[in-house]
Amino acid sequence: MTTRRTNPKVDAVIVGFGWAGSLMAAELSRANMNVVAIDRGPWRDTFPDTPLTADPDELRWKTRRELLAPPHDTTLTMRNTLDQTAVPQRDFGISELGGGVGGQGFQWAGMAWRFNPWDFRVRSETIERYGMARAEDGELQLQDWGITYAELEPDYDRWEQIAGVAGQAGNLRGKLTSRGNPFEGPRSREYPTPKLKTLRMMEIFNKATSEMGLHPFTIPCANVSQAYVNPLGVTMAPCTYCGFCSSYGCGNYSKASPQTCVFPALLNNNPNFRLITNACVTRVNKAADGKSVTGVTYIDQNGSEVLQPADIICLTAFQMENVRLMLLSGIGKPYDPLTSEGVVGRNFSFQTVSGADLWFEEDHINPFIGAGGLGSQIDDYNSDNFDHSSLDFIGGAGILTLSRDGTPIANANKLPPGTPRWGSGFKRAYSNYYQNYGVLFNQGTSMPIKRGYLDLDPTYKDPFGLPLLRLTYDYARNDRAMATFTMNRAIQIGKRMGASQFSAFNFAEKPFTTAIGASNHTIGGAVMGADPTSSAVNSYLQSWDCHNVFVVGASAFPNNGGYNPTGTVGALALRAARAICGNYARKPGALQKG
């Protein structure tokens, strides 16, 4: 580290330039604030990085993961229990972070969910329906979000409009439509573009689940189904079902990403905005009063330490890094798993995954046609959509099938148990089952536990000499029971679909590990709520301790729903930006009383 210098003061600094950061930067700069965004990664865009001629390169993007941040930039240490010694993760595992601006939003699959209304009031709803003993079983640490689905609905709607989400409503203003998901919360209007096409695997799933009395629907997907211009004036082209979405950019400008949906409006001729890349923020600088902050310190690409003064700091990095920056900066009381006191690091949760691989005979599923988030799902066994009175768990999973990923290299491992892995037997099997493979994936809820948390590792440090983040976590008994239940439902559905062979899987039946990428949906650590003794931020994601710090992302989720988190992250970012522009900028101070 060499020279120390100070940049001119700005109104707001954005730390991390993915979906949350770019949305907040766009909203704040539109309100005439001077905004600087700082991102650790390099500049990255559809052109020249992933144009149509380079986009479907499985070896480069899927196998070698060239769009991801290298593991040495995202290393954390992990242990299952307090009496273990945490060790560093040496590979990607669950850490599939974007390696440039746009973050994971550039190479994500594109499922564009809203959480169920129950997810926001898990504790209250559980007590009301099943009694206090179910909510407080000695292990779980349930808490409400301090906000309801209805309060967040306008921001869900705006995020979907910006992303051009394709889907079909199941609940319009409280009336079921019989065309979409009947279990979703009420929507104020239809999706901005119609749902994507129904492909062969979805046909099989829809027929079987309908015959079982269940309610299949097409997954809402951030791939526009027709030409579309979003509210920021950006034009998107209709999806061509090339199937190269998850782990890839989108050379067709059909998949929503910060690059496609936000950057053009934010970066073109905008004197209020400046982006600094290849710069790592190492701390948020507290003021002498300890109740506010004065800016951030970062290390630039030349190794120089730089101070960036600002009136407002928005931490919009990945969930883990948001929590680490709060701990490194002394903002909020660190969580103590022995007493359940403290708020920063509290309520880490994951995504509880189970399901089944399926193989059919003499069908033509055509996996090379698809889109990243395209598929069918049932929510009959998700959230609290079914009676848990006779069960020993709360929560559930969306059981879905996908029409994507016809990747010939990766799919060579998708063969029935017992199939030869080399030679003529392997070739015959792969030539048959490439066309006839499918999956039922249970994307399950994850409930927080008292001893699942994040703190600073006492031993291991990063290249700047700062402590790595330490994760202590294992699946809750509740989540193990839920995963077994939904896995058995997937087996029933697979049999009804006519699969000749199937192989069930349940990631929660073994101890949790960061080394196996069952999902990359990690949440919690700086959770939102109405009580400063159990939450790090209020419902506007404003720090209870430092009123000019906003911590935005999945770090704010007190528990995880049975859906991917991006839609909820986008909605919360827009809500926080609205609060800053509409209220905080005029009268700085706490937006809510604790």
Side-chain angles (χ1 to χ4, degrees):
M1 192 179 304
T2 56
T3 313
R4 186 175 191 183
R5 69 174 191 276
T6 301
N7 291 339
K9 185 179 179 181
V10 295
D11 295 319
V13 167
I14 306 288
V15 181
F17 201 53
W19 267 119
S22 62
L23 287 169
M24 293 198 73
E27 298 294 300
L28 268 54
S29 64
R30 281 200 317 139
N32 294 320
M33 292 187 181
N34 290 314
V35 179
V36 165
I38 303 173
D39 195 277
R40 181 166 187 164
W43 173 252
R44 176 163 287 155
D45 206 350
T46 305
F47 183 84
D49 294 296
T50 61
L52 284 175
T53 50
D55 190 21
D57 188 336
E58 183 185 355
L59 188 62
R60 187 176 178 189
W61 309 125
K62 189 80 172 185
T63 305
R64 296 174 177 160
R65 305 185 184 191
E66 292 188 18
L67 290 178
L68 301 187
H72 61 69
D73 280 353
T74 61
T75 301
L76 76 163
T77 67
M78 184 264 161
R79 60 182 181 174
N80 289 122
T81 57
L82 297 178
D83 59 350
Q84 294 176 339
T85 300
V87 294
Q89 178 179 330
R90 303 291 189 186
D91 204 344
F92 290 103
I94 66 170
S95 298
E96 296 181 330
L97 309 188
V101 299
Q104 285 179 290
F106 186 61
Q107 47 89 34
W108 70 313
M111 287 190 193
W113 294 106
R114 299 180 177 196
F115 274 20
N116 187 285
W118 177 82
D119 294 314
F120 297 93
R121 299 183 72 250
V122 165
R123 179 177 171 81
S124 297
E125 297 273 354
T126 299
I127 294 172
E128 290 169 10
R129 188 170 183 182
Y130 305 111
M132 183 66 77
R134 186 69 70 89
E136 295 191 356
D137 65 352
E139 182 184 32
L140 296 181
Q141 187 159 258
L142 304 181
Q143 56 193 85
D144 296 343
W145 293 41
I147 186 177
T148 65
Y149 168 86
E151 291 174 292
L152 194 57
E153 200 283 334
D155 302 293
Y156 269 130
D157 177 75
R158 179 160 171 78
W159 182 79
E160 290 169 351
Q161 297 294 319
I162 290 173
V165 175
Q168 189 158 45
N171 184 337
L172 267 178
R173 296 177 289 279
K175 292 185 177 179
L176 300 185
T177 67
S178 74
R179 299 187 300 273
N181 179 8
F183 299 103
E184 70 176 353
R187 303 172 52 82
S188 56
R189 56 175 162 172
E190 262 290 0
Y191 288 93
T193 64
K195 68 177 183 179
L196 294 170
K197 297 180 183 298
T198 302
L199 303 184
R200 178 57 183 155
M201 191 64 190
M202 299 163 65
E203 289 179 344
I204 301 171
F205 178 88
N206 292 350
K207 180 174 184 297
T209 51
S210 294
E211 291 172 350
M212 296 170 72
L214 304 172
H215 302 84
F217 60 92
T218 300
I219 294 170
C221 193
N223 293 62
V224 295
S225 56
Q226 62 187 24
Y228 178 70
V229 179
N230 80 2
L232 303 181
V234 177
T235 300
M236 302 174 70
C239 179
T240 59
Y241 300 86
C242 75
F244 293 95
C245 301
S246 182
S247 302
Y248 303 84
C250 181
N252 200 52
Y253 297 91
S254 302
K255 183 178 73 173
S257 68
Q259 278 83 350
T260 294
C261 301
V262 185
F263 286 7
L266 175 62
L267 297 173
N268 291 339
N269 301 315
N270 184 351
N272 295 340
F273 180 74
R274 178 187 175 212
L275 173 64
I276 301 172
T277 58
N278 295 304
C280 182
V281 174
T282 54
R283 67 179 178 274
V284 181
N285 304 317
K286 294 181 74 171
D289 63 4
K291 299 178 180 178
S292 61
V293 299
T294 59
V296 301
T297 297
Y298 67 90
I299 309 298
D300 71 9
Q301 59 184 339
N302 299 315
S304 299
E305 186 178 75
V306 184
L307 301 183
Q308 178 58 67
D311 290 327
I312 299 170
I313 309 300
C314 301
L315 301 183
T316 56
F318 180 61
Q319 168 253 342
M320 298 275 196
E321 193 59 22
N322 276 352
V323 178
R324 183 169 177 248
L325 278 172
M326 291 187 75
L327 291 168
L328 290 172
S329 307
I331 299 173
K333 183 180 179 181
Y335 177 71
D336 183 343
L338 298 179
T339 63
S340 292
E341 295 179 350
V343 294
V344 181
R346 183 187 181 100
N347 280 26
F348 172 88
S349 295
F350 190 46
Q351 191 99 67
T352 315
V353 172
S354 64
D357 292 308
L358 311 174
W359 292 272
F360 299 84
E361 304 297 334
E362 299 181 359
D363 209 315
H364 290 86
I365 292 171
N366 293 342
F368 48 85
I369 303 171
L374 179 57
S376 290
Q377 175 159 317
I378 58 163
D379 263 359
D380 300 73
Y381 302 114
N382 205 351
S383 304
D384 198 37
N385 299 336
F386 57 109
D387 186 8
H388 293 67
S389 297
S390 62
L391 302 171
D392 61 350
F393 64 88
I394 60 171
I399 299 179
L400 61 93
T401 192
L402 293 165
S403 290
R404 73 175 191 199
D405 282 348
T407 48
I409 299 173
N411 282 7
N413 284 326
K414 300 294 186 182
L415 294 173
T419 300
R421 295 296 166 173
W422 63 88
S424 59
F426 165 78
K427 294 176 182 175
R428 281 195 300 272
Y430 193 36
S431 65
N432 178 37
Y433 288 116
Y434 175 79
Q435 274 281 9
N436 294 294
Y437 166 76
V439 66
L440 295 176
F441 187 87
N442 305 339
Q443 184 162 234
T445 56
S446 178
M447 297 300 153
I449 56 175
K450 294 177 181 177
R451 298 201 172 186
Y453 73 109
L454 298 161
D455 67 350
L456 296 177
D457 191 279
T459 304
Y460 296 97
K461 301 184 186 303
D462 70 6
F464 303 120
L466 301 172
L468 297 181
L469 197 65
R470 178 173 67 177
L471 167 61
T472 304
Y473 178 73
D474 206 349
Y475 293 105
R477 184 212 56 79
N478 178 89
D479 293 351
R480 295 182 193 277
M482 182 278 295
T484 300
F485 175 87
T486 53
M487 180 186 71
N488 291 333
R489 303 289 86 73
I491 292 172
Q492 293 173 347
I493 293 170
K495 290 179 177 177
R496 187 63 177 250
M497 292 169 69
S500 61
Q501 302 182 67
F502 57 85
S503 178
F505 56 85
N506 178 1
F507 288 94
E509 66 182 0
K510 296 181 179 178
F512 170 80
T513 173
T514 55
I516 299 175
S519 171
N520 56 13
H521 300 161
T522 58
I523 63 101
V527 302
M528 59 193 294
D531 182 356
T533 67
S534 60
S535 57
V537 296
N538 62 27
S539 74
Y540 297 105
L541 308 193
Q542 179 188 34
S543 166
W544 289 112
D545 278 43
C546 296
H547 62 80
N548 58 342
V549 175
F550 292 79
V551 188
V552 182
S555 52
F557 297 6
N559 52 276
N560 207 357
Y563 309 97
N564 86 338
T566 305
T568 302
V569 169
L572 288 173
L574 290 168
R575 186 171 191 270
R578 227 168 14 97
I580 293 172
C581 298
N583 297 311
Y584 185 85
R586 289 189 313 226
K587 187 179 180 182
L591 293 170
Q592 287 181 317
K593 292 183 179 179

